[in-house]
């Protein structure tokens, strides 16, 4: 799905495509945008990452239980 080099024309095409998306695709796009916004808000700069309490990030772990164990150790050590 190549886009033209002209920014105005590309914008028109993108808006047209968005307007003609089905509800499921729109929902997926909205959820992805929300996730990206949260990652930026939390300062997440690499993946995988799991955020706790909106203030602590555990990087490099995909298992939630393992990440939770790391987070609990961090809290116990008074890093809060």
């Amino acid at each position: 799905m190549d886009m033209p080099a002209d920014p105005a024309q590309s914008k028109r095409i993108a808006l047209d495509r968005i307007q003609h998306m089905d509800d499921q695709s729109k929902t997926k796009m909205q959820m992805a945008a929300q996730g990206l916004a949260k990652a930026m808000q939390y300062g997440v700069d690499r993946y995988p990452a799991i955020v706790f309490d909106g203030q602590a990030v555990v990087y490099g772990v995909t298992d939630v239980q393992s990440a939770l164990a790391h987070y609990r150790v961090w809290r116990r050590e008074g890093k809060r």
Side-chain angles (χ1 to χ4, degrees):
M1 298 190 148
D2 292 327
M3 296 293 271
D6 176 43
Q9 188 178 3
S10 292
K11 182 178 178 178
R12 284 191 299 275
I13 291 170
L15 289 173
D16 183 63
R17 289 178 183 172
I18 291 169
Q19 289 171 348
H20 290 93
M21 291 173 79
D22 60 46
D23 288 340
Q24 183 179 12
S25 295
K26 285 180 184 177
T27 299
K28 286 181 179 181
M29 182 182 279
Q30 185 178 27
M31 291 175 66
Q34 288 172 346
L36 178 58
K38 283 291 185 186
M40 292 173 66
Q41 177 184 348
Y42 295 143
V44 172
D45 60 359
R46 59 192 175 278
Y47 298 96
I50 299 176
V51 179
F52 291 97
D53 296 333
Q55 63 181 347
V57 182
V58 175
Y59 289 105
V61 179
T62 57
D63 178 69
V64 175
Q65 293 302 320
S66 178
L68 184 58
H70 287 287
Y71 172 68
R72 286 179 175 152
V73 167
W74 177 79
R75 291 277 313 263
R76 207 171 32 247
E77 291 177 356
K79 303 292 185 197
R80 186 169 178 150

